[in-house]
Amino acid sequence: MATSKEFRVAGKDMVDVICNYLDNIEERPPLSQVRPGYLKDLIPCEAPEKPESWEDVKKDIERVIMPGVTHWHSPHFHAYFGTGNSFPSILGDMLSDAISCIGFSWIASPACTELETVAMDWLGKMISLPETFLAGEQGLGGGVIQGSASESTVIALLAAKMRMIRKQQEIDPDLDQFDILPKLVAYTSDQSHSSVNRASMISSVRMRVLPTDERNALRGDTLIEAMKKDRKKGLLPTFVCATLGTTNSLAFDRLSEIGPACEDEDVWLHVDAAYAGSAFICPEYRSLLNGVEYASSFNFNPHKFLRVNFDLSAMWVKDKRDIVGAFYTDPVYLQHGHQGSVEDYRHWQIPLGRRFRALKLWFVLRMFGVEKLQEHIRHQVKLAREFKALVMSDQRFTIEAEVILGLVCFRLKGTNTQNKELLDKINKSGKIHMIGTELKGRYILRFAVCAATTESCHILYAWQVIQDCAIEICDGVNGYKNGGTLSNGVNGTAEACISPD
């Protein structure tokens, strides 16, 4: 395919392939049914010597690729947390791929840098971030697009590490950074994402994993006590990662307690709100972010809950000098005449190169507008509450964590083994896809509202699948002979059968 004429034909055809896929995704099993190694038997062991036609490639999309796809945007996909998808975002990625710039510095493509700065300020204002996090006209704060929340945590910890090392060297200039490094300590909760521990491994900063309360939240007094103990040992508390909306159960660490403790100790506070952060654009959920004013950095993923396709993780810092100071290198071949008066985002991240990701964020914010994005979030929360109501209607099940946004954690009133069995049956049915997790020794099932196309009928369908699988495992448990079948009620909604909270 060498000409734009050929691309126009194939491109229009590909748009049809995409639309047909998304329009009919509900007909496919949400979880791929293939076995490891399936693909190598479907394609040659070497690349073709001669060009193949678009028609031949297109045929293999269904034959080779689709059997091995787990369909994250199926309304029957309820695992992990959802990942964003929308036509405006796809359009933004199309244009980014066509421009195909490597925006490591302002001069490498000024629009790539400047649109990112503006779009990140737009997004920060949408969630009412304190102005100290915004670039504004001449502020020290600012936002940057990273690939994932995991990257953001690593970057924040590396920046905190170098800030503490510089402070100690100011006190004693004879100290080498490798003398200081063994004394640095970071803190997080036993409910934080596994990527926080990985950040500790990458940065070589020891991580204290602290216990959480009965609501799975990290409390201020627990953190204060841990930092006091470490200071008595001659160690240097350096970094805290607090989570707003944990992966296990959507728990919220107490920022209002953790924040002042970090401020008093001059410790870098990073706030990870990977999934939940998008909900803060709704005024009724903004209070969940209270205490962020104490943070040094904050992150959430618009590619989870805000209709933006992966990968686009939004990170803000209060003082860009800390992050730039940790990653600054300036070889002659990257220098340009506007340095110092513009942002060069290569200093805000680990890799040098960066894609024009701001385009898809800009397209989504403009073509949906804040109101439509708020409607999307409220609808998904409503569906989660419908599912919660269905769970509460069945005596065999219990709700295991507070339902705040689009996640419901529940389990059978049985053993961990029975709950694992139940999840296995659910996934083997091929009808819906879910995952499990463990909360304080109890195995639980996670039901996440993921796809933007999910409606009440899909919630009812999922619940019926779960009930049918539960009957096979524990018919007669607790005197409950069967789960029964709830009728669709008025307008076919779960809410019409049982009112949520």
Side-chain angles (χ1 to χ4, degrees):
M1 186 179 295
T3 68
S4 60
K5 182 177 179 181
E6 291 174 308
F7 178 70
R8 285 178 193 274
V9 173
K12 289 174 182 176
D13 202 11
M14 190 69 218
V15 168
D16 286 339
V17 170
I18 291 168
C19 290
N20 289 335
Y21 166 69
L22 291 173
D23 288 347
N24 299 291
I25 195 171
E26 189 173 343
E27 299 171 9
R28 300 175 184 268
L31 180 63
S32 174
Q33 305 297 304
V34 301
R35 293 192 174 278
Y38 89 98
L39 193 142
K40 70 177 186 296
D41 295 329
L42 300 177
I43 60 175
C45 60
E46 295 180 357
E49 291 292 333
K50 303 292 185 182
E52 295 184 358
S53 70
W54 159 244
E55 286 300 325
D56 287 339
V57 173
K58 187 176 85 166
K59 289 174 187 174
D60 280 348
I61 294 174
E62 194 61 47
R63 184 182 72 89
V64 178
I65 302 302
M66 286 302 171
V69 172
T70 289
H71 302 286
W72 284 63
H73 301 287
S74 166
H76 302 309
F77 182 93
H78 301 291
Y80 313 106
F81 286 122
T83 181
N85 193 9
S86 67
F87 295 121
S89 183
I90 292 170
L91 290 174
D93 265 340
M94 287 174 65
L95 181 57
S96 174
D97 288 345
I99 294 172
S100 197
C101 63
I102 310 297
F104 46 74
S105 65
W106 180 89
I107 198 65
S109 204
C112 183
T113 294
E114 295 197 11
L115 183 62
E116 184 163 333
T117 301
V118 172
M120 288 296 291
D121 270 5
W122 279 14
L123 194 58
K125 291 174 183 176
M126 285 167 60
I127 62 172
S128 300
L129 268 185
E131 284 199 13
T132 49
F133 285 101
L134 305 181
E137 293 299 321
Q138 297 178 345
L140 287 176
V144 60
I145 295 173
Q146 307 289 359
S148 67
S150 303
E151 286 180 40
S152 297
T153 304
V154 171
I155 288 164
L157 179 49
L158 289 171
K161 164 186 165 180
M162 294 311 299
R163 185 178 74 166
M164 180 59 76
I165 286 172
R166 287 193 298 271
K167 284 182 179 178
Q168 294 304 307
Q169 288 175 330
E170 288 172 5
I171 297 169
D172 184 352
D174 292 330
L175 284 175
D176 182 272
Q177 65 172 314
F178 299 105
D179 297 323
I180 302 166
L181 183 58
K183 297 182 178 181
L184 306 186
V185 188
Y187 306 85
T188 194
S189 88
D190 58 16
Q191 296 299 308
S192 66
H193 194 270
S194 60
S195 61
V196 181
N197 283 321
R198 181 175 288 183
S200 167
M201 294 162 63
I202 292 169
S203 64
S204 298
V205 175
R206 77 182 76 192
M207 182 72 67
R208 299 270 190 248
V209 179
L210 305 179
T212 49
D213 67 9
E214 69 282 355
R215 299 177 73 178
N216 303 302
L218 178 62
R219 303 298 298 267
D221 55 357
T222 303
L223 174 63
I224 290 168
E225 183 63 26
M227 290 194 292
K228 280 182 179 176
K229 286 182 179 179
D230 283 331
R231 287 210 183 275
K232 286 180 180 178
K233 296 175 184 175
L235 302 177
L236 298 170
T238 300
F239 175 87
V240 173
C241 182
T243 308
L244 298 181
T246 60
T247 300
N248 279 337
S249 66
L250 210 63
F252 287 74
D253 290 340
R254 296 296 182 87
L255 277 192
S256 59
E257 299 173 2
I258 295 168
C262 291
E263 185 174 68
D264 290 345
E265 294 284 341
D266 194 22
V267 168
W268 185 298
L269 172 60
H270 176 68
V271 177
D272 174 10
Y275 165 75
S278 297
F280 303 154
I281 70 170
C282 299
E284 63 268 33
Y285 299 118
R286 175 54 180 79
S287 63
L288 295 170
L289 187 56
N290 288 351
V292 73
E293 62 272 13
Y294 294 104
S296 299
S297 55
F298 169 74
N299 163 254
F300 82 91
N301 291 342
H303 68 229
K304 274 192 168 68
F305 205 5
L306 210 60
R307 306 304 307 271
V308 180
N309 287 52
F310 188 85
D311 56 345
L312 196 147
S313 187
M315 179 185 186
W316 289 267
V317 292
K318 261 186 189 170
D319 192 336
K320 61 188 176 185
R321 294 173 300 184
D322 290 325
I323 196 168
V324 170
F327 296 100
Y328 188 86
T329 58
D330 194 30
V332 173
Y333 53 81
L334 294 178
Q335 295 174 9
H336 59 89
H338 297 281
Q339 286 187 193
S341 61
V342 295
E343 294 299 345
D344 286 331
Y345 279 125
R346 70 178 186 270
H347 302 310
W348 294 52
Q349 61 178 27
I350 294 171
L352 173 64
R354 55 201 337 270
R355 295 186 299 112
F356 200 164
R357 288 178 290 205
L359 278 171
K360 60 185 171 185
L361 176 60
W362 189 50
F363 279 28
V364 165
L365 296 183
R366 291 186 65 187
M367 296 175 75
F368 281 105
V370 177
E371 287 184 0
K372 287 295 181 185
L373 294 171
Q374 289 172 332
E375 286 177 17
H376 165 68
I377 288 164
R378 288 168 178 147
H379 182 61
Q380 294 221 316
V381 175
K382 173 179 171 289
L383 293 175
R385 289 175 177 168
E386 289 179 10
F387 184 81
K388 173 189 173 183
L390 293 168
V391 174
M392 292 179 68
S393 75
D394 191 326
Q395 299 171 33
R396 297 171 300 172
F397 293 90
T398 61
I399 297 292
E400 292 292 305
E402 188 177 0
V403 178
I404 299 173
L405 297 173
L407 177 68
V408 181
C409 295
F410 69 106
R411 77 191 303 266
L412 277 171
K413 293 177 181 175
T415 64
N416 286 348
T417 299
Q418 284 178 312
N419 279 278
K420 289 177 183 178
E421 249 183 88
L422 174 58
L423 181 65
D424 188 53
K425 284 186 178 292
I426 289 168
N427 287 327
K428 283 182 177 176
S429 76
K431 296 176 180 178
I432 64 172
H433 179 39
M434 295 169 51
I435 63 167
T437 191
E438 195 171 276
L439 277 179
K440 301 189 186 305
R442 289 165 65 83
Y443 190 84
I444 65 169
L445 280 65
R446 295 171 76 265
F447 182 91
V449 180
C450 294
T453 54
T454 308
E455 297 293 345
S456 294
C457 61
H458 302 113
I459 301 300
L460 281 167
Y461 176 79
W463 179 239
Q464 190 61 63
V465 171
I466 293 166
Q467 284 191 311
D468 290 345
C469 292
I471 289 170
E472 296 177 31
I473 291 174
C474 58
D475 192 12
V477 168
N478 294 330
Y480 198 83
K481 293 294 182 185
N482 61 67
T485 302
L486 289 173
S487 66
N488 284 353
V490 181
N491 297 325
T493 66
E495 195 173 38
C497 308
I498 305 164
S499 297
D501 299 341

